[in-house]
Structures are given as structure tokens and as C-alpha cells.
Amino acid sequence: MILDGAPGVSVVGEATDGAEVPAAVAAYAPDVVLMDIRMPRVDGLAATEALRATAEPPEVLVLTTFDADEQVLRALRAGAGGFLLKDTPPAEIVAAVRRVAAGEATLSPAITRRLIAHVTAPVPVSGPDARRDRAVRLLDGLTPREREVAVALGQGRTNAEISAQLFMSVPTVKAYVSRLLTKLDLNNRVQVALLVHDAGLV
């Protein structure tokens, strides 16, 4: 009701659990999937991972009552464009759907604080860290300029802020971000930021 009443937003289909998501997406071709985490049979995280692994997936906005760190990170690493708690005001949910549809990441303030706390926590220097090694290897394949843009994304900067910081136009920044997503085989700028954090660059 909230979404159908919003100008320019239409609910084209619904699914009762994660197992129904692939067929619903194939049938209705939505721009955005508003995904719950807790569902019978296949949960929203597994459904998000499966959906984002397809050839031309829609954007995914996760909406849940549960905000455990590991679930937030799993959803974002899978390519979800946003993560909102169900106590988010209706107008903000509609705005988040629009932002995610436009390719922008969006997180509830509480989720943002938890994510920042997670990625800024001290990382043990001893022992193997496959995620860190993978991140370092991927980022080593970038040009110096691409790496600068990636680090700026890891710092949470907007395109306009990156433009000012790196002395390039906003369209050029957008081109670099698109190139990074292609080169790193990632879905959105949140995943680039997580990769940069995994590598220990910010």
C-alpha cells in the first residue's frame, strides 16, 4: 500500500518466500526487489545471492527487523543496494526504493553505524585471511587513478566529493565507478567500499 500509493512507483508482483523470487522476477521484470530476510524455505539472504548472480538482476533492497552484523554484510556482499530496518518511516522506504532504482546505495542510520564499527575494528595481523588476500589481489589490478577512486568510495565519498578531491569532473568520476564495477566484477559502490575495507586501505 505504501509503495503503490507513491507517485512513479508500481508494485508489479509479490512472492511469499525466497523460493518464489526467481520466477516472480522472471515474470514481472521489476527494477527493484524489496526483500525480507526471514522467510520460509529460502531466506532473503540466499534469495538475494541467487538473484544477484543472474545475468541481468534487478536491484535489491533488504527490509528486515533483524540487523545482525553478519547478515548486513552478507546482504551487501551479495550485491544488495540497500538495507533498511522495518521501523523506517514509510516515506523513507519509498525514497530508498527510488535511490536503489537509480543505482545508489542506501542504509538505515543504525545499519550505517554498525557497518562503520565493523569495518573500522582492528584487524588481526596474524594468520591467513582469504578475504583480505583476495581484496588486495583485485585492487592490485587497478590503475593508480582507479585505485584512488576505489579508496574514495571506501571512505564513503559521493561522486561530487570525489570530483573535488581528485580534480576530475563528475561524469568522469561516474565513468571510473562504472569501470571499477566492471573490472572488479561487482554490482555496486557499496561492494567496492567493502573490498577496499577488506584490503585494509581505509
Side-chain angles (χ1 to χ4, degrees):
M1 289 173 62
I2 291 169
L3 294 171
D4 261 338
V9 179
S10 298
V11 178
V12 295
E14 297 181 44
T16 57
D17 68 62
E20 296 177 4
V21 169
V25 167
Y28 301 111
D31 297 309
V32 177
V33 172
L34 190 61
M35 186 82 75
D36 197 354
I37 284 186
R38 291 187 171 181
M39 294 186 288
R41 294 196 294 169
V42 177
D43 66 39
L45 293 176
T48 296
E49 289 168 342
L51 187 59
R52 292 299 299 176
T54 59
E56 295 184 9
E59 298 294 337
V60 176
L61 177 61
V62 177
L63 185 66
T64 183
T65 56
F66 203 58
D67 65 342
D69 293 352
E70 64 273 12
Q71 295 207 321
V72 175
L73 288 169
R74 183 178 164 193
L76 296 177
R77 290 186 193 284
F83 200 108
L84 297 179
L85 299 182
K86 285 185 178 176
D87 61 2
T88 302
E92 292 183 24
I93 293 175
V94 173
V97 168
R98 289 197 173 103
R99 285 196 299 270
V100 169
E104 300 175 20
T106 184
L107 299 171
S108 287
I111 296 295
T112 302
R113 287 192 294 271
R114 293 172 73 102
L115 187 59
I116 289 170
H118 177 87
V119 299
T120 57
V123 178
V125 294
S126 59
D129 186 340
R131 181 169 283 148
R132 185 185 183 96
D133 291 346
R134 173 183 173 274
V136 169
R137 185 176 68 255
L138 286 171
L139 293 172
D140 280 348
L142 301 178
T143 66
R145 200 61 162 164
E146 289 169 344
R147 191 181 179 93
E148 287 179 331
V149 173
V151 170
L153 291 176
Q155 293 167 336
R157 300 191 187 281
T158 64
N159 288 344
E161 289 170 340
I162 296 172
S163 169
Q165 178 186 344
L166 299 181
F167 305 103
M168 58 174 67
S169 69
V170 171
T172 301
V173 173
K174 290 180 179 178
Y176 267 98
V177 172
S178 295
R179 193 179 310 160
L180 284 171
L181 296 179
T182 300
K183 202 166 185 177
L184 298 172
D185 193 25
L186 298 175
N187 297 307
N188 56 49
R189 53 200 296 143
V190 174
Q191 289 185 311
V192 176
L194 287 172
L195 193 71
V196 169
H197 281 286
D198 287 344
L201 297 181
V202 292

